[in-house]
């Protein structure tokens, strides 16, 4: 990554960043000159700019720094048929989506609905009847090491990230956690025989 960035001029870096999600750009930002980061922010559309600025606002070592914004959520007052129709609108679900997060009209987290449960439930059943209400969630300020331990302990694939009012603002995935853990490991030294 460092070699690639060193071989690119600022305009090429800004152009390449257009294909990245906010969380991916936030991962790169510490390795980029401040003026390039500012150019990338300014090149984003309004919604992506807000996501990127939010991602950049969290210190390294927090859940917020690992969070992504690709979240699939539904309201609890719909039927399973409506939830399935909603999912069919996606060309492809975000990577590592094993559940749909259930929220109220104000985006307060109410629970999760595992996809495997949704697929085998009668389409006329309301989501509220089958959601799992005891959901492991994180605040963006939570420590990444503690999140990594929770992912290991509870065998999580993804988990919601909620603000102080309980509104869902993103999610954290096992890939992001594993990358964080790998980056913190000291490099392995190979001994020659």
């Amino acid at each position: 990554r460092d070699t690639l960035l060193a071989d690119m001029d600022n305009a090429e870096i800004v152009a390449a960043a257009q294909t990245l999600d906010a969380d991916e750009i936030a991962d790169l930002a510490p390795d980029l000159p401040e003026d390039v980061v500012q150019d990338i922010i300014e090149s984003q559309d309004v919604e992506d700019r807000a996501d990127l600025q939010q991602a950049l606002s969290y210190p390294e070592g927090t859940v917020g720094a690992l969070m992504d914004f690709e979240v699939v959520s539904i309201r609890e007052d719909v039927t399973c048929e409506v939830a399935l129709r909603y999912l069919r609108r996606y060309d492809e679900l975000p990577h590592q989506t094993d559940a749909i997060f259930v929220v109220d009209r104000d985006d307060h987290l109410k629970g999760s609905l595992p996809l495997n449960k949704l697929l085998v439930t009668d389409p006329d059943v309301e989501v509220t009847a089958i959601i799992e209400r005891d959901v492991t969630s994180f605040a963006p300020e939570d420590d990444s090491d503690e999140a990594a331990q929770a992912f290991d302990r509870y065998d999580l694939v993804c988990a919601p990230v909620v603000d102080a009012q309980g509104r869902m603002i993103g999610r954290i995935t096992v890939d992001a956690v594993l990358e964080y853990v790998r980056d913190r490991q000291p490099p392995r030294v190979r001994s020659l025989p």
Side-chain angles (χ1 to χ4, degrees), residues 58-129:
Y58 298 111
E60 199 167 319
T62 64
V63 166
L66 302 177
M67 173 176 66
D68 78 47
F69 300 94
E70 284 189 289
V71 178
V72 179
S73 64
I74 58 171
R75 291 205 312 263
E76 64 184 335
D77 60 352
V78 299
T79 64
C80 289
E81 175 63 30
V82 170
L84 287 167
R85 273 199 318 259
Y86 174 69
L87 290 179
R88 288 186 195 109
R89 290 182 176 179
Y90 285 87
D91 291 332
E92 159 180 344
L93 290 176
H95 186 60
Q96 297 190 318
T97 298
D98 67 335
I100 304 169
F101 298 116
V102 182
V103 296
D104 65 14
R105 291 186 187 278
D106 297 318
D107 287 330
H108 292 99
L109 181 66
K110 295 298 183 182
S112 72
L113 176 56
L115 291 177
N116 60 357
K117 191 182 242 185
L118 174 63
L119 292 173
V120 298
T121 301
D122 184 313
D124 295 327
V125 172
E126 281 202 2
V127 166
T128 192

Side-chain angles (χ1 to χ4, degrees), residues 39 52-53 86 115 131 138 144 157 174 176 183:
D39 289 346
L52 179 54
Q53 287 174 324
Y86 174 69
L115 291 177
I131 65 171
F138 300 95
S144 295
V157 173
V174 67
D183 288 347

